[in-house]
Amino acid sequence: MTTEPDNATTTARSAERTLDGVTVVITGASSGIGATTAEALAGAGATVALFARRKDRLDDLTRTIEGRGAGAAKAYGVDVTDADAVSTAIDAVATEFGGIDILVNCAGVGTWGPAVDAKLSDWTAMVDVNINGVFAATHAALPHLVAAANGPRGISDIVNVSSIAGRRVPSFQSNVYAATKHAVGAFSEGLRQELAPAHVRVGVVEPGIVTTEMTTTGEEYAPDARNAEGLGVLDPDDIAAAIVYIVTRPRHAAVNEVLIRPTEQVR
Ligand SMILES: NC(=O)c1ccc[n+]([C@@H]2O[C@H](COP(=O)([O-])OP(=O)(O)OC[C@H]3O[C@@H](n4cnc5c(N)ncnc54)[C@H](OP(=O)(O)O)[C@@H]3O)[C@@H](O)[C@H]2O)c1
């Protein structure tokens, strides 16, 4: 009888130690998809540098990861909208761990609703985190990633967590959120074309509705509020497993785009 993992959690957290000696910077690591991805990557042997504003959460996650005895973890209290702080922290990671092999841009915020009566500050907050935060981390990490691709692993990776809203506009209520995620897709494709010859792979992950703080707290128009039928949603482990898959492909194979919807999600 074959033994199958019973869910994505098992798959993501029991990955083979294929990332031993690999250093990952992951933004948005204090909750949801980022935190679960950090656990999964560390479970595969990676050293994970955890970036987010809620340093207490990152410290807890560091202890959890190190208690499991796989990869190491270190917490960096960083706001991705502060480009200087991002650059300083990324250089500190490279100095302490001898380089950076993988950047996962996962930090993101979302506010949904009609444009009429929306707060402009909500829109600029999404641009600041979802676009400028991705630019800041990528800009700071690029020299290290290019150098790492010339190192023993022979490859390095950028994984940008976009959204189904980066491929299409799910509803008018997604207006600015979808705009920011479309920008992530465009930026990723430009990077991919430039960096392919340098063996820096660029992958975009486009989740449908995932149960995280983003979709379950506060917002009248948040995706869970639009999910009135109670259709199945994804778990952060579903996305973490995809990211582990992307960065553990052999050197000749680049997974550039993964779109994952809950089975019952139509739009
Ligand atoms: N949940 C979904 O249905 C879904 C679907 C498609 C795509 N996504 C994308 O998945 C990514 C992760 O979201 P999630 O669903 O896991 O939500 P989440 O649990 O709310 O996580 C968001 C993360 O982003 C971090 N963050 C926000 N603003 C930041 C800032 N200024 N500086 C540094 N970190 C910041 C948060 O950390 P701090 O607050 O501690 O700073 C947190 O770690 C986002 O890019 C989101 O757009 C989510």
Side-chain angles (χ1 to χ4, degrees):
M1 191 178 100
T2 55
T3 307
E4 296 282 342
D6 59 357
N7 58 28
T9 304
T10 311
T11 307
R13 293 199 178 137
S14 63
E16 290 174 28
R17 297 283 297 264
T18 45
L19 295 175
D20 277 335
V22 168
T23 299
V24 183
V25 169
I26 177 160
T27 72
S30 61
S31 61
I33 294 167
T36 304
T37 300
E39 286 189 66
L41 293 169
T47 294
V48 288
L50 312 173
F51 283 30
R53 293 166 302 177
R54 289 172 292 179
K55 177 80 164 31
D56 55 333
R57 295 268 200 119
L58 300 180
D59 288 336
D60 287 346
L61 182 57
T62 298
R63 282 188 284 276
T64 300
I65 287 172
E66 299 217 316
R68 293 210 177 104
K74 183 161 179 175
Y76 296 81
V78 177
D79 184 331
V80 297
T81 68
D82 182 343
D84 289 340
V86 170
S87 177
T88 299
I90 283 186
D91 288 346
V93 172
T95 300
E96 178 158 357
F97 299 108
I100 296 170
D101 300 284
I102 300 172
L103 170 67
V104 180
N105 280 308
C106 191
V109 293
T111 307
W112 293 268
V116 173
D117 296 332
K119 285 192 276 183
L120 181 59
S121 59
D122 285 340
W123 292 359
T124 53
M126 284 187 275
V127 170
D128 287 346
V129 178
N130 300 359
I131 302 179
N132 289 329
V134 172
F135 290 171
T138 304
H139 188 268
L142 268 176
H144 303 295
L145 294 167
V146 170
N150 290 314
R153 186 169 174 247
I155 200 83
S156 58
D157 291 280
I158 298 170
V159 180
N160 291 330
V161 180
S162 176
S163 168
I164 179 70
R167 283 285 298 272
R168 58 189 300 282
V169 180
S171 78
F172 67 83
Q173 294 156 343
S174 312
N175 43 42
V176 175
Y177 180 77
T180 65
K181 294 301 189 180
H182 275 69
V184 170
F187 179 52
S188 302
E189 175 57 14
L191 283 177
R192 186 196 69 75
Q193 293 178 21
E194 177 183 344
L195 298 172
H199 297 122
V200 181
R201 299 184 293 203
V202 181
V204 184
V205 179
E206 299 160 335
I209 301 177
V210 187
T211 302
T212 67
E213 290 176 18
M214 175 179 279
T215 50
T216 56
T217 53
E219 295 292 338
E220 180 185 357
Y221 296 103
D224 70 324
R226 289 191 275 111
N227 184 19
E229 297 84 8
L231 302 179
V233 294
L234 296 169
D235 187 89
D237 285 295
D238 296 313
I239 312 306
I243 294 172
V244 171
Y245 178 80
I246 289 171
V247 301
T248 55
R249 290 313 84 210
R251 189 169 173 271
H252 67 273
V255 179
N256 298 127
E257 191 170 11
V258 178
L259 189 158
I260 312 173
R261 286 187 181 90
T263 302
E264 296 173 319
Q265 183 177 338
V266 174
R267 301 190 63 196

